[in-house]
Amino acid sequence: MIHARRIASSLAAATLLATPAIAQRNFDNVEIKTEEIAPGVAVLFGAGGNIGVSHGEDATLIIDDQFAPLSEKIERAIANLGATPVKYVVNTHWHFDHTGGNENFGKTGATIFAHDNVRVRMEAGGEAAGNSTPPAPPEALPVVTYAQGLRFHLNGDTINLMFLGGGHTDGDSVVFWDEDNIVHMGDLYFKIPGYPFIDVGSGGSVYSAMRSLDIVIAMINDETKVIPGHGPMSNKAELVAYREMIGKAVSRVEELRAQGMTLEQAVAAKPLADFNRGEGFIGPDAFVTAIWNSAAIAD
C-alpha cells in the first residue's frame, strides 16, 4: 500500500513538472512523506524532485528543494526528523521542480551548492519541459559552484557531489554517501512510468546520460540504496535495467537514422512500441525525438 501511494505521488510530481503556469498550481493538498533510509539520512517525497536529507550533530543538508510553496511543509518534515534547520542546499540540476525552494532557503541563511552550469542557467532563465522559467532572484542562486565535484564531511558521513558528464542537462550532480552506501541520482534516473527526460535544450544528451549511468553503476553494489529523481526508492538492479532500456532505445533509433529516415519518419515508425513503459511524463515519441536530437548534435 505504501508503495502504491508513492507511485501515485510520483505521478503527481510528473504531472506538475509537465504543466505550464506552475506558480498558479495549488499545493495545499501536497503531503510531504518521509522515509528514513539510514541513521541520519532520509528522503522526502512530495511534488517535484525527491529530496535527500543528511542530518545530525553537525548540520542539516538537503539535496533539492521542490517548489517554493512547499518550503514550510519541507521544513516541518525535516524538523520532525529531529533535525536542525537547513544549513546547506545542493541542487542536482537547474529545473524548477528541484530548485523552486532555493529562494526561501537562501533567505533563511542556507548556502546553496551546485555545478557551474546550474547557476548559469538559473541566472539566465529559459525553457524546460514546456515551461518558461524566469531568471532566478539572487537569493535563489547557488553560492558555491564547481566544475567536477565537492566533498562534505558531515554528520559522520563523507558526502560526495560529482559531475559525471551530465545527460539530463549539462549540470547534473550525483550525490554519494560513502559510509552509508547511498546515491542520489537526480533526474538522471526516473523511477516512474514513461521514458527518461533528456533536456537537449539545457545541454542534455542521451549519450552523456548513458555514460553517467555507466559510471554510477560501476561505483555501486547490490546493497546500494538508490534515490531516483522521481519515484520510490530503488537499487542497482533496477538502475541497470533502466540503463539497458535506454541503450536498446538508442540502438533502435540509430538504426532508423542509418536507413536515411527523417525524424518525422522515425517517430512514425514507433520503434519503442513494445517497451511497455506505461503512460508517463515523457512519452515514446518525445524520447525518440530526444535520442535523435542527441545523435544529431554528436554527429
Side-chain angles (χ1 to χ4, degrees):
M1 191 65 165
I2 294 174
H3 180 74
R5 284 201 300 269
R6 271 192 207 122
I7 290 289
S9 176
S10 301
L11 287 169
T15 301
L16 286 167
L17 181 61
T19 305
I22 290 295
Q24 299 175 20
R25 300 291 302 185
N26 185 342
F27 291 88
D28 291 348
N29 294 326
V30 173
E31 181 182 354
I32 305 298
K33 295 182 172 63
T34 302
E35 181 175 345
E36 295 188 67
I37 58 175
V41 184
V43 184
L44 305 184
F45 303 92
N50 293 335
I51 299 174
V53 183
S54 170
H55 64 96
E57 62 182 16
D58 297 326
T60 299
L61 175 150
I62 63 172
I63 301 164
D64 292 335
D65 50 31
Q66 298 189 357
F67 297 99
L70 297 175
S71 294
E72 288 188 9
K73 292 183 179 182
I74 292 166
E75 289 173 334
R76 285 198 295 271
I78 290 168
N80 288 338
L81 290 168
T84 55
V86 174
K87 186 173 182 179
Y88 305 116
V89 174
V90 174
N91 293 147
T92 59
H93 60 290
W94 82 282
H95 288 156
F96 52 84
D97 63 316
H98 294 255
T99 62
N102 275 21
E103 183 177 5
N104 292 335
F105 285 104
K107 285 180 176 178
T108 62
T111 303
I112 303 170
F113 298 74
H115 185 267
D116 295 336
N117 289 337
V118 173
R119 181 180 173 97
V120 170
R121 292 195 178 278
M122 289 184 68
E123 276 188 308
E127 297 289 327
N131 293 272
S132 180
T133 302
E139 296 88 350
L141 293 172
V143 173
V144 180
T145 65
Y146 48 86
Q148 297 300 323
L150 192 70
R151 181 172 294 141
F152 284 87
H153 300 276
L154 194 71
N155 301 325
D157 273 311
T158 306
I159 303 173
N160 283 302
L161 321 183
M162 296 185 182
F163 175 74
L164 303 177
H168 171 61
T169 70
D170 59 7
D172 302 302
S173 288
V174 174
V175 183
F176 292 88
W177 283 258
D178 289 354
E179 286 77 12
D180 284 313
N181 197 15
I182 296 166
V183 60
H184 192 309
M185 295 296 299
D187 280 2
L188 284 166
Y189 179 31
F190 278 13
K191 192 184 171 183
I192 56 176
Y195 292 84
F197 177 25
I198 305 297
D199 187 356
V200 177
S202 293
S205 164
V206 71
Y207 296 99
S208 297
M210 289 192 294
R211 286 191 293 270
S212 294
L213 290 169
D214 286 342
I215 294 169
V216 173
I217 289 166
M219 294 175 67
I220 64 177
N221 58 41
D222 292 342
E223 305 305 316
T224 304
K225 297 173 182 177
V226 179
I227 306 170
H230 296 266
M233 287 295 299
S234 188
N235 54 44
K236 181 177 182 177
E238 291 178 338
L239 185 62
V240 168
Y242 184 79
R243 167 62 178 87
E244 290 175 348
M245 178 273 296
I246 295 173
K248 186 177 180 181
V250 168
S251 294
R252 291 190 182 184
V253 174
E254 285 178 340
E255 288 176 5
L256 300 181
R257 290 187 85 236
Q259 293 171 20
M261 285 191 181
T262 64
L263 170 58
E264 291 72 20
Q265 289 170 332
V267 170
K270 303 295 182 186
L272 311 183
D274 62 336
F275 273 44
N276 299 317
R277 295 285 301 174
E279 294 286 335
F281 160 50
I282 298 295
D285 292 354
F287 190 42
V288 169
T289 300
I291 295 170
W292 189 280
N293 290 336
S294 296
I297 292 169
D299 284 347

